[in-house]
Amino acid sequence: MTYLVAEAKTPSNFVSEKIPQAERDAFDFSRHRLYTPLGGARWPTDRWVVDKERRVALVGGGTNGNYAADEDIATTFWETLLVEGLSVGVIYKRAADLLEGKDPVTGRRHVIKNLSDTYLYLPAALYARKDEVIALLEEAYFVDAGGPQRPWIRGAKVDLTAARLDTEYGHSKHGV
């Protein structure tokens, strides 16, 4: 699947904003997790991309540290997609698919932002809705990447390597 802005029936309802303190305080770390390379019961950031109507939010979690330091080593990113109060782990590498054409104002080549080599860790209650979760992730990532403000970003897609139950996360290694 791919979220393409040109094919979207309506504009996305996702917005980037500061996470309200009430949401941060209400998050129950004994029942849910926020996926970060360091783990722990804390919010890794103070911003999210959220669609309040659908009760979905994308929260950044961090990297394995190679992004700025190691040019030839792929960087792994951790994020959490909150869907109706449930946490989905999203571990991926960044990429972009180049498209024909350029933005006439900036001259930037058209791209589709790509979450490559993606692992999803889904709670059992969402596992059967995996395709819906991926579609929500693609839309949220498009907004997170600045797609609505950057006309050269034409969409976002998830290249899924594996979808696993969240109970398997503790046994997985992702570049840490």
Side-chain angles (χ1 to χ4, degrees):
M1 299 186 307
T2 302
Y3 176 81
L4 297 172
V5 71
E7 296 177 3
K9 293 178 178 59
T10 59
S12 178
N13 286 332
F14 281 98
V15 295
S16 178
E17 68 177 27
K18 187 170 179 146
I19 302 168
Q21 190 62 45
E23 293 285 344
R24 294 166 63 109
D25 293 342
F27 193 81
D28 185 353
F29 283 99
S30 68
R31 294 184 42 218
H32 305 289
R33 86 168 1 135
L34 294 173
Y35 289 81
T36 72
L38 302 176
R42 62 179 183 80
W43 284 85
T45 182
D46 66 346
R47 300 198 62 80
W48 64 6
V49 173
V50 63
D51 180 333
K52 292 177 184 172
E53 284 183 34
R54 292 187 281 179
R55 296 181 51 220
V56 178
L58 181 62
V59 180
T63 73
N64 62 348
N66 294 331
Y67 186 61
D70 300 327
E71 184 176 316
D72 296 334
I73 297 175
T75 301
T76 303
F77 292 84
W78 280 255
E79 297 196 5
T80 304
L81 186 69
L82 299 171
V83 179
E84 300 168 1
L86 301 174
S87 300
V88 176
V90 182
I91 292 82
Y92 66 95
K93 294 175 178 56
R94 285 185 183 164
D97 295 341
L98 298 176
L99 303 173
E100 292 297 319
K102 294 182 178 183
D103 176 56
V105 175
T106 64
R108 301 267 320 248
R109 182 101 180 252
H110 292 160
V111 299
I112 294 176
K113 292 293 190 169
N114 186 338
L115 286 79
S116 69
D117 193 22
T118 304
Y119 290 83
L120 293 181
Y121 292 91
L122 299 135
L126 290 176
Y127 199 85
R129 296 170 54 192
K130 175 179 64 174
D131 290 341
E132 177 188 353
V133 169
I134 291 170
L136 290 166
L137 174 59
E138 288 172 338
E139 184 180 349
Y141 190 70
F142 170 75
V143 172
D144 191 43
Q149 296 81 33
R150 298 177 176 146
W152 61 88
I153 300 175
R154 297 300 177 103
K157 75 175 185 176
V158 171
D159 287 332
L160 186 65
T161 299
R164 300 176 175 158
L165 287 172
D166 59 358
T167 56
E168 296 179 49
Y169 177 72
H171 305 291
S172 302
K173 299 287 182 199
H174 294 286
V176 178

